[in-house]
């Protein structure tokens, strides 16, 4: 019921947009509790109001990323706070759609990014991302945007260029496995590089055949 009015207004403004409900089967309280665990949801304490930061939180990532306060997590997790013509796109369906996802669309996203010039290696990122999305059944627009979100538009992370000190030649465009480690300089990036090399259990210094295939 609380979704009906804002969605109806959006439908009137954008009649071509298609909306589909998806039931998660999750209880709201359980979901918020899970998101509130330790370092799962972070905010940049240096540029956020003090009330947004969990009291007593250590720095989990970078120089100022700390655990988010519970009310902040609940606010940003509630779709009803973002049902407008701009914020709605965070709820876009992320499966591959050949009628909507094109090379030109990917090229528009990577324009003026470190991927536009092929990362100085002549790589055709637009073609690679379109192919990856089609094979995996995932929106290539999401895959592309996520790289820019994780690496920065200019490739601020050394994992975008394989230039992390001590892990030269190792890439992790999505920061998968880059879990925070506040006790070590560049701790999250090091964990991301170790994950790219060795999979889920980096301490063993080896990956399984299954991990090698999807890595």
């Amino acid at each position: 019921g609380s979704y009906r009015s804002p969605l109806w207004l959006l439908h009137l403004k954008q009649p071509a947009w298609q909306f589909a409900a998806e039931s998660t089967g999750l209880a709201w309280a359980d979901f918020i509790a899970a998101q509130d665990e330790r370092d799962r949801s972070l905010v940049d304490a240096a540029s956020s109001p003090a009330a947004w930061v969990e009291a007593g939180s250590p720095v989990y990532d970078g120089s100022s990323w700390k655990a988010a306060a519970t009310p902040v997590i609940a606010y940003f997790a509630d779709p009803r706070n973002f049902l407008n013509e701009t914020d709605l796109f965070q709820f876009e369906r992320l499966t591959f759609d050949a009628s909507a996802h094109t090379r030109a669309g990917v090229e528009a996203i990577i324009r003026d990014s470190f991927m536009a010039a092929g990362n100085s290696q002549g790589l055709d990122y637009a073609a690679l991302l379109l192919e990856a999305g089609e094979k995996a059944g995932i929106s290539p627009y999401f895959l592309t945007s996520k790289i820019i979100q994780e690496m920065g538009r200019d490739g601020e992370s050394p994992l975008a260029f394989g230039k992390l000190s001590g892990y030269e030649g190792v890439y992790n465009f999505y920061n998968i496995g880059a879990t925070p480690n506040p006790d070590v300089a560049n701790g999250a990036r090091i964990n991301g590089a170790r994950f790219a090399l060795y999979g889920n259990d980096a301490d063993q210094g080896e990956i399984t055949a299954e991990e090698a295939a999807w890595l």
Side-chain angles (χ1 to χ4, degrees):
S2 56
Y3 286 86
R4 187 180 302 275
S5 293
L7 285 176
W8 180 246
L9 179 60
L10 281 167
H11 181 70
L12 292 175
K13 290 181 175 180
Q14 300 289 349
W17 291 4
Q18 299 179 30
F19 299 93
E22 184 171 344
S23 177
T24 65
L26 298 174
W28 177 253
D30 293 341
F31 170 72
I32 296 302
Q35 291 300 315
D36 201 18
E37 290 181 6
R38 198 168 172 267
D39 57 356
R40 181 161 290 166
S41 300
L42 305 179
V43 295
D44 186 356
S47 58
S48 302
W52 286 27
V53 181
E54 187 74 32
S57 171
V59 174
Y60 285 109
D61 195 13
S63 60
S64 58
W65 286 87
K66 297 183 177 182
T70 306
V72 174
I73 296 172
Y75 176 83
F76 282 101
D78 191 339
R80 294 171 297 182
N81 294 319
F82 304 98
L83 296 181
N84 57 66
E85 291 175 275
T86 300
D87 296 320
L88 185 73
F89 287 97
Q90 67 183 294
F91 307 112
E92 182 180 4
R93 187 179 295 275
L94 299 182
T95 50
F96 181 79
D97 183 344
S99 67
H101 299 133
T102 65
R103 177 189 174 93
V106 178
E107 288 177 338
I109 299 173
I110 67 174
R111 187 177 300 132
D112 299 325
S113 79
F114 74 96
M115 291 181 284
N119 205 354
S120 302
Q121 298 179 32
L123 297 174
D124 187 348
Y125 277 115
L128 289 169
L129 286 160
L130 187 62
E131 179 185 1
E134 184 174 10
K135 286 186 175 180
I138 299 173
S139 163
Y141 297 171
F142 168 70
L143 294 176
T144 308
S145 301
K146 189 67 173 176
I147 290 173
I148 293 174
Q149 177 186 347
E150 293 292 336
M151 297 291 99
R153 180 159 290 276
D154 296 324
E156 286 87 347
S157 171
L159 291 176
F161 300 98
K163 294 184 177 179
L164 180 63
S165 179
Y167 295 88
E168 289 79 3
V170 180
Y171 300 78
N172 189 334
F173 274 21
Y174 295 101
N175 278 327
I176 299 173
T179 53
N181 183 358
D183 297 327
V184 178
N186 264 333
R189 289 170 174 171
I190 289 173
N191 283 341
R194 282 164 52 80
F195 184 91
L197 285 171
Y198 306 121
N200 288 308
D201 192 351
D203 289 338
Q204 289 189 359
E206 59 184 14
I207 61 173
T208 65
E210 182 181 6
E211 287 174 331
W214 57 254
L215 277 172

